[in-house]
Amino acid sequence: MLSSPVRLRPIRGALKAHDWLPIWCNLRSTGAGSASASNHSPSAILPAPSCARGRCLLLLLLLLLSDDLLKKTKAEGDSEEDESYNLTFCVVIDRRCDRAERRGVAVFGGRPSRHTPTMGSRRMDAPLLGLFLAHLATALEVPLDLLEGLPQPPTITHQSPKDYIIDPRENIIIHCEAKGKPHPSFSWTRNGTHFDIDEDPNVSMKPNSGTLVVDISRAKAEHYEFVYQCTARNKHGTAVSNNIVVQQSRSPLWSKEKVDPIVISEGRSLVLRCRPPAGLPPPIIFWMDNYFQRLPQSARVSQSLNGDLYFSNVLREDSRNDYICYARFPYTQTIQQKQPIIVKVLDLDAINDTMAAFYNDTDLFSEEPADERKPNFLLPSGPSSSKTVLRGQVLEMECIAEGLPTPKISWDKVSGDLPTKRTSFLHYEKTLRIVDVSESDAGEYRCSASNRLGSVHQTIRVTVKAAPYWISGAPRNLVLAPGESSVLTCRASGTPKPSVSWAMNGIPIENSPKDLSRKVEDDTIIFTDVQAGSSAVYQCNVSNDYGYLLSNAFVNVLSEPPRVLTPNHKVYQVIKNRQASIDCASFGSPIPKITWFKDSRSSTLDGDPYVLHDNGTLEIRTAQAHNSGKYTCVARNSLGNYENHIYLEVKEPTRILRQPEYKVVQLGRSAVFECKVKHDPSLIPTMTWLKDDGELPDDERLIVDSDSLTINDVSESDAGVYTCIMNTTLDHDSASAELTVVEATTPAVVYERPDPPTDLELTDQKKRSVQLTWIPGDEHNSPIHKFLIQYEDSLHHRGHWHNLTEVPGTRTTAHLKLSPYVHYTFRVLALNAVNFSRPSFPSRMVKTEPAAPDGNPTGVQGFGTEHDNLVISWKPLSGLQANGPGLHYKVMWRQKVVDSDWTTVTVANNSKFVVSGTPTFVPYELKVQAANDHGAGPEPAVAHGYSGEDLPVAAPDNVQAVMLNGSLAELHWDPVPAKSIRGHLKGYKVYYWKEHSLHKHHPHLVKSQILTFSGNHTRRMLPGLHPFSVYLFNVRVYNGKGEGPPSPDQQIVTPEGMPGAPSSLLVTNPNMDSLTLEWSPPHERNGHITGYTLRYQPVNNSNELGAVEELALPANETSLTLLNLKYGTRYKFYLNAITVRGAGPAISQEAVTVVDEALISQRGADVGAAVASRQVDIATQGWFIGLMCAIALLILILLIICFIQRNKGGKYPVKEKEDAHTDPEFQPMKDDDCTFGEYSDNEDHKPLKGSRTPSNGTVKRDDSDDSLVDYGDGGDGQFNEDGSFIGQYSGKSASRDTAGGHESSEAPSPINTMNSLNSFV
């Protein structure tokens, strides 16, 4: 039998009244899940019962639904897409079925939907047709992974996404994987035509797969940007993939643009545009500074969704020169930056002080500050906007407002409530984000911006569209036996309604071979009496303007005996008193019927306490010990039967018998927490202890036993909550207790929380009060500080305890005030220095009688959302304030005129009421009174409000302008009458623009600017005008709804002013004593240029300035050659332009008069010129002169030493002794070269140690000169009075011979010395 009614869509005209169709009994539905098992293999198949094939045919007379029934159900609200019926039908089973000598009636029940056809109806209406469709809707998935050898048409298992963005730096991989028996082959189309992979050497297909790999090392990725579709086919059918649109990710460069500095007055709003390049996918935008630090954002400064940076008002600290917008492209992981934006914020106070001093203490910005203003929306513009979003996507709406003080943003939905679980607010409440959008999210949303000066509102209308989506899932594969019937349903929805088309094996079904067993009805294909060999893959395509769904579903015609897929002898374990589910997953065609037996197989298990699900799962809702044992499931169809044995073990639950208790322990003592557990002996338990929900510290003082935790030598860090957890493979139990550590005392005192109060008694009960008394519990060495009294309202909030009042710990009585219409129960908790006690036992119940409300709603206000309505809102009463059932509100209003009557309506379950058809912006008096079934509350106070505003209808009159100087004008106008404003006066806006400059070289400009003045002002200043220009301006009044019409345009002609600096100053043709200067006129001439002033002066090496020379130049000159300048001198030049108002700022330049070299630097870049001047003037530097003198002195000393050695070297007392020696090394010094060459070994010519020997065998003089001290005895040698050297050469020579053989020695040479110095210099 079916366990639940079947809901299906009826099909008009699908079958005729005379059709007799054999239907196999293969209905099935999803059953409950299985219990925990020893091996957790999931159920792969959901089988269902069936009748025997062959003679057991269920002959069902299927009659066409009458048009009357269809019209009737239409009239009752059923749409054609959503018609469904709970089916009631009867199946007559023939006596010959299953050899059972029985005849019976099986009734599958449910209530008819909306109406039930009468027994006398001549046609079988929805129930009988529903039986047919319910029977046909069965499907079976072929478990290829579990059953080998079963044929199956192809199924796409993995494919690339529809919109496939690739990284152009990596090979392109377009996925297409499919399964089937036999394994399918693959082919591709590209842009709708066959794609021959073998002809493209850069494209290959993975083995046993349809996945394409494009090698881009030999080709460009953009050459493969096409629409691809994969086809997988075997002899049983053809499956196709989605259309895969391949596009490479792009990260284009930022377009070059000139970013002008922004100068803005403090308090004004500002928008820094980012305008990133359009990438694929779009880049992620963020703002940083030069140091790659994110710019701070706040409620005042925030980034919009498009990346622009918005300032609700600017402050002086916003001045910086490194506002940089960065764009990060996620696929290529590249980051690009925009040119830095410079922002300079002017201090209006400083400007005001300067102007006041200049104009004899006249305060140009008097009254209130010009930047104090109510909010105004920067984004979006206009009073309302619209947005379209797709179902399932993320809806993001933003409102960014300017104003001072910084406005606060809030959101609400005009046509309902915001979905709280799917709603979040970002960017300091400026962005409303709703995820997983549904049709219910359509409607009007309102964002409000407010500060202390007022508020504005913006309405955003949201429209929700929907790409196609499945209503009950994609079409499912069908596995049918020959002769069976079923349906393939492709049920989807969308906005607008999608269209459905079918294909078979990739070919439109209308072009496929005709099949009498198949009939297409819109989104359903009906199969009747299918035959072997009719297996195929059907494609369902559902599409509308916003997307499409493509699904493959095969119809596989098989004849297979039953098989049980659940492993044999599988053991399920379950805890006593819990639900147990044991599986019998099976497969067969026709679908097998499952029968369960236990132990002796005396009877089938199909009654209490067993529940047999249609997928074969046997459920025991409350498992007991006697349910343990051996179970047998038998799967049977017309081709055979199969049985499997499964075991169920019911275990005792794990329980903590003795829980750890709260403890207060002194420092240095021990704490023991007990945790004794009972569990099933066959399960292995594991005890785990936690401290504050984390692991226990790794400390040897903590000792964990089988049933306790001991903490020795307790310290302050041991305080916390300790939890013992006992785990088994099937269940667990846990308990916690807190440890409090206190200072040691003498003698030791144990502090614990108090015992709960007892003996609660209620006395002196009155209509609105009662007396509560109690007896305190044991204090446990810590005095009670206070008692907390709580109550439970079992009438309105059963099970919830609320704090009512507190009393000092010295009192045991409390006088409690009661509210009407409440069922009170009280309890008391005691608090000492340790903690609260456990709650006392509850008192008896006290019921108070209902009464009229004691008060009225607060926060009553009236405002308009449209020009012809009045919205009255209030803060509703809470349930406790209602005082009785039937809470409602009497809303009263009248125009604030003499003798007008109050209009009253009753509102329930709402906190606002909208009065329509009101005149525009009229004052009203408002009252809201609370009432219930027992009467009304007190007379409410009168509140005041206005009906909705509309745009002003008049412009200011008598608009004038008076120029105060070249850049400042004073504007005057007459106020707009209050009746014409039609709303709350917010202020005036001045639109002004520069029509053109009076100078012929300046183009016409029409860019408009807006200056907003909050409040009812008729005289304001217009600063920042350009001299020598013509401006146009108009004035508009604005209210909370928007701006009124503009006044007639007025003209302002600004006088000449001082010019700007010349746009350039260049130095050309530098010579030894002359330079040529070339310049360009100022960009900002601000009048007629009457001439130029050139000043120049020399600059010495200490950057000291010399005398100034000044030249007056005519206005038509743009170059000048200066003669008779000093050679090698640096000059600084200053050039000003002059108008009738005076000289403007100067541009400066520096240059050096040098032959073939003139080093020029701009202002602020003096380093190059300074270095150049030092190179030229090095001969005059003091350090250089001193160095040269030191070198000359050193050379002179060396020459003197060499001269002395040459003339005195042979005159020493041991000359005769030397002559007596025959050693050739003891020879006199040469006279010609001032060396001791005669003492060298002429045969070996060995170089001195450390010298380099050239290839010709001679020793270079500049590399082999020895110091004279080398020829003395260890430094003892010295000159006598006559200059002769008294050292022993023999001693030095002997040592040299011993150490290294014969070496040449050579006295220092003056020539070598000079060479050495030249090399040094």
Side-chain angles (χ1 to χ4, degrees):
M1 292 178 62
L2 286 175
S3 62
S4 60
V6 183
R7 297 177 64 85
L8 287 172
R9 175 182 175 184
I11 301 178
R12 183 200 303 253
L15 300 167
K16 302 299 182 182
H18 59 273
D19 290 337
W20 289 80
L21 300 178
I23 310 297
W24 301 120
C25 181
N26 59 353
L27 298 170
R28 69 187 181 88
S29 64
T30 303
S34 62
S36 174
S38 56
N39 53 354
H40 303 283
S41 59
S43 175
I45 303 301
L46 302 176
S50 67
C51 295
R53 298 185 55 208
R55 294 170 297 172
C56 296
L57 300 180
L58 306 180
L59 303 180
L60 303 179
L61 178 60
L62 303 178
L63 300 178
L64 177 62
L65 282 175
S66 66
D67 292 336
D68 300 335
L69 176 60
L70 290 178
K71 293 178 180 177
K72 182 175 181 181
T73 55
K74 286 286 186 181
E76 293 177 351
D78 282 342
S79 65
E80 185 176 348
E81 292 76 25
D82 295 325
E83 291 177 1
S84 60
Y85 301 91
N86 290 339
L87 306 178
T88 303
F89 53 89
C90 177
V91 179
V92 180
I93 304 177
D94 194 278
R95 178 186 302 274
R96 295 169 294 175
C97 273
D98 295 331
R99 298 185 182 182
E101 295 297 329
R102 61 188 176 90
R103 180 179 180 86
V105 175
V107 178
F108 298 76
R111 63 173 181 84
S113 176
R114 300 193 184 274
H115 67 279
T116 304
T118 62
M119 293 298 296
S121 177
R122 199 167 56 85
R123 291 194 178 115
M124 298 174 65
D125 290 333
L128 190 54
L129 181 59
L131 164 64
F132 174 62
L133 293 178
H135 176 75
L136 298 183
T138 58
L140 186 63
E141 180 75 19
V142 178
L144 286 179
D145 300 334
L146 301 177
L147 301 178
E148 297 294 335
L150 288 178
Q152 182 178 350
T155 301
I156 301 289
T157 58
H158 179 56
Q159 57 183 312
S160 293
K162 297 177 182 178
D163 296 314
Y164 188 25
I165 301 177
I166 60 171
D167 189 337
R169 302 168 299 182
E170 299 178 356
N171 288 344
I172 303 173
I173 301 177
I174 310 176
H175 294 280
C176 181
E177 305 289 343
K179 67 178 181 179
K181 289 294 179 70
H183 191 72
S185 60
F186 298 88
S187 63
W188 286 84
T189 61
R190 190 166 70 177
N191 285 355
T193 60
H194 176 68
F195 179 31
D196 192 346
I197 299 171
D198 297 333
E199 293 184 358
D200 192 331
N202 300 321
V203 182
S204 62
M205 187 183 297
K206 290 185 178 181
N208 298 320
S209 167
T211 298
L212 295 182
V213 180
V214 181
D215 185 1
I216 64 169
S217 63
R218 296 172 294 181
K220 294 184 177 180
E222 57 263 27
H223 294 165
Y224 293 89
E225 291 184 300
F226 298 102
V227 180
Y228 296 84
Q229 189 173 38
C230 172
T231 301
R233 59 171 52 89
N234 63 15
K235 64 181 180 180
H236 302 294
T238 301
V240 297
S241 71
N242 293 320
N243 286 327
I244 303 171
V245 181
V246 175
Q247 294 176 287
Q248 68 167 334
S249 62
R250 288 175 171 83
S251 52
L253 297 176
W254 228 297
S255 59
K256 293 184 178 179
E257 60 176 331
K258 181 180 179 182
V259 181
D260 296 325
I262 297 174
V263 180
I264 188 171
S265 59
E266 186 177 11
R268 298 300 178 195
S269 62
L270 175 64
V271 182
L272 301 183
R273 304 294 182 187
C274 181
R275 299 188 185 95
L280 184 69
I284 299 170
I285 306 301
F286 50 93
W287 290 79
M288 294 199 298
D289 58 16
N290 275 332
Y291 301 98
F292 301 101
Q293 299 296 317
R294 285 189 178 269
L295 296 177
Q297 298 189 22
S298 62
R300 185 179 62 86
V301 184
S302 62
Q303 179 180 318
S304 65
L305 296 177
N306 68 353
D308 294 342
L309 192 62
Y310 282 79
F311 295 75
S312 296
N313 50 78
V314 295
L315 304 176
R316 278 178 290 175
E317 53 262 32
D318 294 327
S319 295
R320 61 190 307 152
N321 59 1
D322 57 352
Y323 285 95
I324 306 175
C325 181
Y326 288 84
R328 181 171 68 86
F329 297 88
Y331 268 70
T332 57
Q333 293 300 319
T334 58
I335 297 178
Q336 298 184 23
Q337 75 174 64
K338 186 184 178 76
Q339 288 292 327
I341 300 176
I342 301 174
V343 175
K344 175 65 175 178
V345 180
L346 300 180
D347 183 359
L348 282 181
D349 293 335
I351 296 175
N352 197 33
D353 294 342
T354 303
M355 292 297 183
F358 187 75
Y359 289 104
N360 299 323
D361 295 328
T362 299
D363 190 355
L364 299 183
F365 298 95
S366 59
E367 304 176 37
E368 64 184 44
D371 50 0
E372 283 275 335
R373 60 196 181 277
K374 65 165 288 185
N376 187 35
F377 282 113
L378 299 173
L379 189 73
S381 59
S384 62
S385 59
S386 61
K387 192 174 186 67
T388 300
V389 65
L390 292 183
R391 177 184 183 272
Q393 293 187 352
V394 177
L395 170 63
E396 287 185 324
M397 297 176 286
E398 61 181 347
C399 280
I400 301 178
E402 63 93 12
L404 190 65
T406 300
K408 182 179 180 181
I409 304 295
S410 60
W411 292 86
D412 67 300
K413 187 176 182 183
V414 178
S415 54
D417 297 327
L418 292 173
T420 54
K421 293 184 179 180
R422 297 184 289 113
T423 301
S424 59
F425 300 96
L426 310 175
H427 305 145
Y428 305 93
E429 308 293 320
K430 299 178 184 179
T431 301
L432 172 64
R433 189 172 192 265
I434 301 177
V435 299
D436 192 19
V437 170
S438 65
E439 287 80 358
S440 63
D441 296 320
E444 289 188 350
Y445 294 78
R446 182 174 62 185
C447 67
S448 302
S450 60
N451 61 15
R452 65 170 179 260
L453 300 179
S455 62
V456 291
H457 308 282
Q458 170 75 220
T459 300
I460 304 175
R461 182 177 295 276
V462 174
T463 303
V464 178
K465 300 292 185 180
Y469 59 92
W470 301 117
I471 295 177
S472 55
R476 298 180 179 179
N477 298 327
L478 297 178
V479 178
L480 303 175
E484 285 190 326
S485 301
S486 190
V487 293
L488 195 62
T489 303
C490 181
R491 183 71 60 83
S493 183
T495 305
K497 180 182 177 181
S499 59
V500 180
S501 61
W502 289 93
M504 185 183 80
N505 293 331
I507 302 173
I509 201 162
E510 55 270 17
N511 299 333
S512 301
K514 299 297 181 182
D515 187 348
L516 297 178
S517 66
R518 180 184 69 228
K519 187 172 184 178
V520 179
E521 290 285 345
D522 191 20
D523 60 1
T524 304
I525 301 180
I526 304 173
F527 298 95
T528 56
D529 194 19
V530 297
Q531 301 301 315
S534 60
S535 298
V537 182
Y538 291 85
Q539 288 81 35
C540 169
N541 190 316
V542 187
S543 61
N544 66 8
D545 295 340
Y546 298 98
Y548 74 93
L549 294 172
L550 177 64
S551 179
N552 294 275
F554 63 70
V555 176
N556 198 7
V557 182
L558 294 175
S559 295
E560 287 291 328
R563 312 184 198 187
V564 175
L565 306 180
T566 301
N568 197 18
H569 301 296
K570 183 175 182 178
V571 177
Y572 286 88
Q573 294 179 334
V574 67
I575 295 297
K576 183 180 177 180
N577 295 323
R578 295 187 182 180
Q579 175 186 323
S581 295
I582 50 180
D583 296 330
C584 184
S586 63
F587 175 79
S589 182
I591 298 176
K593 178 181 179 181
I594 303 299
T595 306
W596 283 91
F597 302 93
K598 184 177 185 295
D599 297 333
S600 63
R601 304 181 64 167
S602 58
S603 61
T604 59
L605 305 178
D606 56 3
D608 190 57
Y610 302 101
V611 178
L612 178 60
H613 292 278
D614 295 320
N615 67 345
T617 297
L618 183 67
E619 176 188 344
I620 306 173
R621 293 183 175 173
T622 305
Q624 300 297 325
H626 66 267
N627 295 127
S628 299
K630 174 183 175 183
Y631 290 79
T632 302
C633 76
V634 179
R636 181 183 294 109
N637 68 9
S638 58
L639 301 180
N641 59 68
Y642 192 100
E643 69 177 40
N644 209 4
H645 301 295
I646 298 172
Y647 297 88
L648 176 64
E649 297 177 355
V650 180
K651 306 292 185 180
E652 289 293 327
T654 301
R655 290 290 178 265
I656 296 179
L657 301 180
R658 185 165 184 175
Q659 300 182 357
E661 296 180 350
Y662 172 80
K663 292 187 179 298
V664 179
V665 179
Q666 293 181 351
L667 286 170
R669 295 184 178 271
S670 298
V672 179
F673 290 106
E674 291 185 304
C675 188
K676 295 186 177 181
V677 182
K678 177 184 178 182
H679 61 87
D680 191 283
S682 64
L683 299 178
I684 300 176
T686 303
M687 174 72 76
T688 303
W689 283 90
L690 303 177
K691 180 180 183 292
D692 296 331
D693 294 330
E695 294 183 358
L696 285 179
D698 186 10
D699 192 333
E700 61 183 8
R701 296 182 299 108
L702 278 65
I703 301 173
V704 177
D705 293 325
S706 60
D707 57 1
S708 66
L709 169 66
T710 303
I711 307 174
N712 295 318
D713 191 17
V714 170
S715 63
E716 291 182 355
S717 62
D718 294 327
V721 177
Y722 290 84
T723 304
C724 74
I725 303 175
M726 178 61 72
N727 288 291
T728 68
T729 54
L730 295 181
D731 66 342
H732 74 278
D733 196 10
S734 63
S736 300
E738 184 178 0
L739 172 63
T740 300
V741 180
V742 297
E743 293 289 341
T745 61
T746 306
V749 178
V750 177
Y751 299 96
E752 295 183 3
R753 63 177 178 174
D755 289 341
T758 59
D759 297 336
L760 271 65
E761 184 178 358
L762 296 170
T763 59
D764 195 19
Q765 181 175 347
K766 297 179 181 179
K767 194 173 183 179
R768 294 289 186 96
S769 65
V770 71
Q771 187 89 359
L772 175 65
T773 59
W774 62 90
I775 298 176
D778 191 345
E779 296 180 346
H780 291 295
N781 301 314
S782 177
I784 296 176
H785 296 165
K786 64 181 178 180
F787 294 99
L788 173 63
I789 302 172
Q790 297 178 329
Y791 75 94
E792 176 194 23
D793 180 6
S794 58
L795 180 62
H796 300 103
H797 300 94
R798 180 180 293 274
H800 295 274
W801 289 89
H802 309 275
N803 293 340
L804 180 60
T805 186
E806 295 178 353
V807 298
T810 56
R811 293 176 51 186
T812 58
T813 301
H815 186 76
L816 307 178
K817 293 183 179 181
L818 307 180
S819 296
Y821 197 52
V822 179
H823 294 180
Y824 286 100
T825 303
F826 301 99
R827 70 181 186 184
V828 183
L829 294 85
L831 175 67
N832 64 7
V834 178
N835 206 338
F836 274 105
S837 69
R838 294 189 302 276
S840 67
F841 287 109
S843 69
R844 63 179 176 85
M845 183 178 294
V846 176
K847 298 182 180 181
T848 57
E849 297 298 326
D854 295 327
N856 291 309
T858 58
V860 178
Q861 57 179 342
F863 57 90
T865 58
E866 301 293 340
H867 68 89
D868 58 351
N869 75 358
L870 171 67
V871 179
I872 305 173
S873 65
W874 60 91
K875 182 180 179 181
L877 300 182
S878 64
L880 197 62
Q881 295 171 324
N883 286 1
L887 176 65
H888 58 274
Y889 303 97
K890 293 180 180 180
V891 182
M892 295 163 277
W893 70 92
R894 68 178 180 184
Q895 289 192 29
K896 195 176 180 181
V897 295
V898 180
D899 297 332
S900 60
D901 296 327
W902 290 94
T903 303
T904 304
V905 296
T906 299
V907 178
N909 301 322
N910 209 334
S911 60
K912 67 180 179 180
F913 179 77
V914 180
V915 182
S916 301
T918 63
T920 301
F921 197 66
V922 173
Y924 279 85
E925 292 182 333
L926 315 169
K927 293 193 296 185
V928 180
Q929 184 180 33
N932 59 24
D933 293 346
H934 294 266
E939 180 66 21
V942 177
H944 301 277
Y946 280 85
S947 58
E949 301 179 75
D950 206 347
L951 296 177
V953 295
D957 292 329
N958 194 23
V959 178
Q960 300 177 11
V962 177
M963 288 302 304
L964 301 180
N965 58 40
S967 61
L968 181 65
E970 184 178 37
L971 308 182
H972 308 261
W973 61 86
D974 293 340
V976 177
K979 185 176 181 180
S980 299
I981 296 177
R982 302 204 297 177
H984 295 286
L985 174 63
K986 302 301 182 182
Y988 291 87
K989 293 185 179 181
V990 177
Y991 284 73
Y992 67 100
W993 60 96
K994 187 177 179 181
E995 178 70 9
H996 62 84
S997 173
L998 293 177
H999 196 281
K1000 62 181 180 180
H1001 297 288
H1002 286 198
H1004 288 206
L1005 302 173
V1006 294
K1007 184 178 180 180
S1008 177
Q1009 294 178 282
I1010 304 174
L1011 199 59
T1012 302
F1013 301 110
S1014 301
N1016 190 15
H1017 301 289
T1018 60
R1019 178 185 300 235
R1020 304 305 282 174
M1021 299 296 176
L1022 181 60
L1025 303 179
H1026 289 161
F1028 205 51
S1029 303
V1030 176
Y1031 282 85
L1032 295 179
F1033 76 96
N1034 59 58
V1035 183
R1036 313 177 191 191
V1037 67
Y1038 72 97
N1039 59 20
K1041 193 72 172 179
E1043 301 173 5
S1047 66
D1049 291 346
Q1050 301 293 321
Q1051 188 180 74
I1052 301 176
V1053 179
T1054 58
E1056 290 191 51
M1058 290 186 294
S1063 56
S1064 67
L1065 176 61
L1066 302 176
V1067 178
T1068 60
N1069 301 325
N1071 292 307
M1072 296 178 59
D1073 58 353
S1074 65
L1075 291 171
T1076 298
L1077 300 177
E1078 296 180 357
W1079 63 88
S1080 300
H1083 288 304
E1084 299 292 338
R1085 303 196 182 193
N1086 297 340
H1088 296 290
I1089 302 298
T1090 60
Y1092 295 93
T1093 299
L1094 174 66
R1095 293 178 296 113
Y1096 63 96
Q1097 58 189 144
V1099 183
N1100 63 16
N1101 296 324
S1102 302
N1103 291 324
E1104 296 176 352
L1105 300 176
V1108 178
E1109 299 286 342
E1110 184 172 328
L1111 297 176
L1113 305 174
N1116 57 355
E1117 284 194 10
T1118 58
S1119 65
L1120 175 69
T1121 300
L1122 296 176
L1123 304 174
N1124 300 322
L1125 302 178
K1126 296 180 180 179
Y1127 164 74
T1129 302
R1130 181 157 51 106
Y1131 284 90
K1132 191 164 188 176
F1133 303 93
Y1134 310 90
L1135 183 67
N1136 306 69
I1138 306 173
T1139 65
V1140 294
R1141 292 297 304 273
I1147 183 174
S1148 64
Q1149 190 68 276
E1150 293 187 18
V1152 179
T1153 54
V1154 179
V1155 178
D1156 296 333
E1157 180 178 12
L1159 301 178
I1160 305 171
S1161 65
Q1162 299 291 336
R1163 180 189 298 179
D1166 298 335
V1167 176
V1171 173
S1173 64
R1174 287 195 297 269
Q1175 292 174 344
V1176 173
D1177 301 330
I1178 190 172
T1180 63
Q1181 299 295 315
W1183 64 268
F1184 182 77
I1185 296 174
L1187 177 63
M1188 292 298 101
C1189 292
I1191 293 174
L1193 180 61
L1194 180 62
I1195 293 173
L1196 179 62
I1197 294 174
L1198 291 175
L1199 288 174
I1200 294 173
I1201 294 174
C1202 181
F1203 178 78
I1204 293 173
Q1205 291 295 328
R1206 178 177 180 183
N1207 292 289
K1208 301 295 183 179
K1211 298 179 180 181
Y1212 49 93
V1214 290
K1215 182 68 171 65
E1216 293 80 6
K1217 183 178 179 179
E1218 291 180 355
D1219 293 339
H1221 283 286
T1222 58
D1223 191 338
E1225 286 193 1
F1226 293 95
Q1227 299 295 332
M1229 179 186 292
K1230 289 185 178 181
D1231 293 336
D1232 53 351
D1233 59 358
C1234 195
T1235 65
F1236 292 93
E1238 292 80 358
Y1239 291 93
S1240 63
D1241 190 344
N1242 293 327
E1243 295 179 359
D1244 295 334
H1245 297 286
K1246 292 182 180 180
L1248 292 174
K1249 184 178 181 181
S1251 66
R1252 292 176 294 178
T1253 304
S1255 58
N1256 58 4
T1258 63
V1259 178
K1260 293 183 180 180
R1261 292 182 178 272
D1262 57 349
D1263 289 337
S1264 60
D1265 293 340
D1266 289 338
S1267 173
L1268 290 175
V1269 74
D1270 290 341
Y1271 294 93
D1273 287 335
D1276 294 335
Q1278 54 185 319
F1279 291 95
N1280 61 8
E1281 293 181 356
D1282 61 357
S1284 62
F1285 191 68
I1286 57 176
Q1288 290 287 340
Y1289 282 99
S1290 59
K1292 176 68 178 176
S1293 297
S1295 66
R1296 291 164 64 90
D1297 289 344
T1298 305
H1302 300 286
E1303 296 181 357
S1304 67
S1305 59
E1306 191 171 356
S1309 169
I1311 298 176
N1312 291 344
T1313 303
M1314 287 298 297
N1315 290 338
S1316 176
L1317 287 174
N1318 290 337
S1319 175
F1320 169 75
V1321 175

